[in-house]
Amino acid sequence: MYEIAIIGAGPAGASAALFAAKAGKKTLLIDNDKGMTRRGWYENYYGISEIGGPDLVETGHKQAVKFGAELVAEQATSLVASGDGFVIGTESGASYEAKHVVLATGVLTDLAAAAGVTTKDGTEPRIKTVIAASPEGRTNIDGIWAAGTVAGLSVHAIITAGDGAKVAVNIISELNGARYVDHDLLKA
C-alpha cells in the first residue's frame, strides 16, 4: 500500500509527489498525460525565465521520480474507500491502494464526485466546478485531499505547484505526527 497517491501530475500533483517522496513516503503519481499545463508557455514561473508546458511537466515528473515516487501513465477511473485507505482503479484494469489520496486533476471533478467528494461552483473564469476543500487541502472524506485548480485555486502553474507542495506537507505532517519541514542547504 502506498502512503500517498496523487492523481494528476501537472504542477500541483508533481509538486505533491516530489515533497512526499523526498520525505521518504511511499508515493504513487498517476498521470493521464492530458493536463492543460502541457499546452502552455510560461514566463511567469519563479526561477525559470521561460519554459514550454511539456518541458515543465516532464521536469516535474523527473524531480518526483528522482526522490522515489513511482510514476504510472494511466487514467484513474475509480476511487473507493477500502480498509484503512482507498483503492484507485484505472482504465487498464490495474488498481492501487493508498492510505491518502491527493486529487490534483486540474479542471476535472468527475472522479471526485463519483467517490462522494463534495464539489461546489468554481470562482475562476471558465472553471465551473471545483472540490470543496479546506485551506489545508482536506475534503469531506478523511484521507482524500485536493490540490491546485481542482481545489479552487487559480489556474496559474506557479500557484498550483505551491498548493500541491502545501497539501503534501500537511499529509506528511499528519503521517509523522509532527509538523514536517524540508529545507536543503547549499553544498560546500
Side-chain angles (χ1 to χ4, degrees):
M1 177 184 282
Y2 293 92
E3 291 173 276
I4 304 171
I6 300 105
I7 301 172
S15 290
L18 186 161
F19 269 78
K22 192 167 184 271
K25 303 304 176 192
K26 187 173 180 187
T27 304
L28 174 67
L29 181 59
I30 299 174
D31 183 35
N32 68 6
D33 198 28
K34 296 178 184 173
M36 65 180 146
T37 302
R38 287 190 176 277
R39 297 186 304 271
W41 176 255
Y42 301 90
E43 294 182 16
N44 60 353
Y45 202 98
Y46 177 78
I48 298 173
S49 61
E50 57 186 40
I51 192 169
D55 289 335
L56 181 62
V57 170
E58 290 306 315
T59 298
H61 292 179
K62 287 177 185 174
Q63 287 177 299
V65 169
K66 169 187 170 185
F67 290 112
E70 181 182 340
L71 176 61
V72 174
E74 282 271 20
Q75 173 70 48
T77 56
S78 64
L79 175 60
V80 295
S82 175
D84 289 340
F86 302 90
V87 175
I88 302 163
T90 65
E91 202 168 60
S92 72
S95 63
Y96 304 92
E97 293 183 49
K99 182 170 178 61
H100 292 271
V101 175
V102 178
L103 298 171
T105 53
V107 299
L108 303 177
T109 58
D110 52 338
L111 182 66
V117 175
T118 302
T119 60
K120 64 181 186 176
D121 291 340
T123 58
E124 287 291 304
R126 297 179 297 281
I127 308 297
K128 295 186 187 314
T129 308
V130 297
I131 292 171
S134 73
E136 295 79 22
R138 294 180 185 277
T139 70
N140 62 300
I141 299 176
D142 192 35
I144 298 181
W145 305 69
T149 301
V150 79
L153 272 71
S154 167
V155 298
H156 294 91
I158 191 73
I159 294 170
T160 64
D163 195 54
K166 174 196 75 179
V167 170
V169 166
N170 290 334
I171 298 169
I172 296 161
S173 298
E174 185 171 304
L175 288 168
N176 290 350
R179 189 68 182 158
Y180 175 75
V181 177
D182 176 21
H183 290 290
D184 294 325
L185 299 175
L186 284 174
K187 293 177 171 89

